[in-house]
């Protein structure tokens, strides 16, 4: 069984994902969130870090869990009750946690957006969704029937997308930002796309999509964000010869 130093994996991820450079939500805490004893023999990848996926990783005999949505988004202290149970579960089972949120979304090859674009057959990708001085997503100029695009999205993610058919029946400029970007339909439209693909959004975006003349496809927050952690774990496995497994724990959201 191959063994690699945890610090080597962390350095590779931080450097290639540009963890220190990409601005994220203040509580996201990208990078290594929980250490293990310093070595990795098996990795697990999941969309969300939770008590449930931690137990799944332990059952899979992993000593590093790679996630998109980490343990910290706001103050988690004090370490009592369920918080204590979780940290004890991690420490007692020598399970480290590495989290990458927006840095993984934005990566041009391993990221959720790039990976989903590839599965949709979108090519010649250009930066899209500019916010806080950086772009998170990608857009593509093409010509594809809206119904065909919906079919491709369902094939890529599994669940049937929610379709807001506010734009043309033939999509010619498509923007992709996975996850929960639905409340930014106006931003997407301002960048010239006629079709916006993301994970989820609020009720009022239906009327807004009609007013702006854009199609919006909601493929599911979870379903559109399985790609990045899979690609990152596979890349680490190739480079460091450490096996990995994907822990599928869909939320339906």
């Amino acid at each position: 069984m191959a063994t690699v130093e945890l610090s080597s994996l962390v350095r590779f991820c931080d450097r290639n994902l540009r963890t220190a450079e990409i601005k994220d939500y203040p509580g996201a805490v990208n990078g290594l969130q929980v250490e293990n004893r310093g070595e990795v023999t098996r990795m697990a990848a999941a969309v969300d870090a939770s008590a449930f996926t931690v137990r799944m990783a332990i059952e899979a005999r992993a000593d590093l869990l790679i996630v998109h949505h980490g343990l910290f988004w706001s103050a988690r202290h004090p370490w009592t009750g369920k918080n204590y149970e979780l940290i004890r579960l991690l420490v007692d089972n020598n399970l480290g946690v590495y989290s990458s949120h927006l840095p993984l979304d934005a990566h041009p090859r391993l990221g959720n957006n790039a990976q989903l674009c590839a599965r949709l057959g979108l090519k010649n990708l250009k930066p899209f969704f500019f916010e806080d001085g950086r772009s998170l997503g990608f857009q593509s100029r093409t010509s594809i029937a809206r119904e065909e695009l919906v079919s491709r999205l369902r094939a890529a993610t599994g669940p049937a997308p929610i379709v807001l058919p506010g734009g043309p029946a033939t999509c010619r400029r498509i923007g992709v930002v996975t996850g929960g970007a639905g409340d930014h339909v106006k931003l997407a439209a301002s960048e010239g796309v006629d079709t916006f693909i993301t994970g989820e959004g609020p009720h009022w975006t239906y009327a807004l999509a009609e007013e702006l003349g854009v199609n919006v496809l909601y493929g599911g927050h979870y379903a559109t964000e399985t790609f990045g952690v899979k690609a990152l774990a596979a890349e680490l496995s190739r480079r460091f010869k450490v096996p990995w497994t994907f822990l599928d724990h869909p939320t339906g959201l």
Side-chain angles (χ1 to χ4, degrees):
M1 180 182 295
T3 301
V4 62
E5 291 184 356
L6 174 65
S7 58
S8 297
L9 288 176
V10 170
R11 280 195 302 272
F12 177 85
C13 291
D14 285 347
R15 182 176 64 252
N16 284 274
L17 296 172
R18 298 168 55 219
T19 300
E21 301 172 41
I22 295 181
K23 183 179 178 181
D24 206 329
Y25 304 105
V29 193
N30 290 304
L32 187 64
Q33 295 191 335
V34 180
E35 287 187 79
N36 65 11
R37 297 188 191 109
E39 294 183 339
V40 177
T41 60
R42 180 179 295 274
M43 301 175 295
V47 174
D48 305 296
S50 67
F52 195 93
T53 55
V54 165
R55 292 189 184 96
M56 291 176 73
I58 292 167
E59 290 177 7
R61 303 179 67 181
D63 34 36
L64 179 63
L65 175 61
I66 298 168
V67 297
H68 183 52
H69 301 135
L71 295 165
F72 308 106
W73 297 98
S74 58
R76 188 135 197 173
H77 56 278
W79 289 98
T80 58
K82 293 298 181 181
N83 284 340
Y84 171 74
E85 291 175 17
L86 179 57
I87 195 65
R88 180 170 181 174
L89 191 63
L90 290 162
V91 173
D92 285 353
N93 290 278
N94 189 37
L95 181 62
V97 178
Y98 186 96
S99 177
S100 187
H101 185 233
L102 295 190
L104 186 55
D105 280 327
H107 194 276
R109 183 170 60 87
L110 302 176
N112 285 310
N113 296 308
Q115 291 282 318
L116 180 54
C117 285
R119 283 161 175 76
L120 295 174
L122 303 179
K123 301 178 180 179
N124 301 315
L125 303 181
K126 303 296 182 183
F128 171 66
F129 206 78
F130 286 87
E131 192 176 38
D132 292 330
R134 45 95 174 105
S135 64
L136 281 180
F138 297 98
Q139 63 171 293
S140 174
R141 293 179 183 270
T142 186
S143 180
I144 179 174
R146 182 175 58 213
E147 290 185 2
E148 171 62 19
L149 185 61
V150 170
S151 177
R152 291 186 191 183
L153 182 57
R154 183 171 188 175
T157 60
I162 295 172
V163 181
L164 316 186
T170 299
C171 309
R172 291 187 168 83
R173 191 167 171 183
I174 302 166
V176 175
V177 177
T178 62
D183 54 353
H184 294 291
V185 171
K186 185 174 289 187
L187 172 62
S190 73
E191 295 186 29
V193 300
D194 59 37
T195 303
F196 180 39
I197 298 174
T198 187
E200 62 173 327
H203 171 81
W204 51 263
T205 56
Y206 192 100
L208 180 61
E210 289 181 324
E211 291 174 10
L212 296 173
V214 297
N215 301 306
V216 181
L217 277 56
Y218 290 138
H221 196 137
Y222 177 92
T224 60
E225 295 199 320
T226 62
F227 306 103
V229 289
K230 290 179 181 179
L232 178 58
E235 179 76 4
L236 292 172
S237 182
R238 284 191 295 269
R239 288 179 175 270
F240 295 97
K241 312 304 179 187
V242 177
W244 72 283
T245 186
F246 178 64
L247 309 176
D248 193 17
H249 186 47
T251 64
L253 301 173

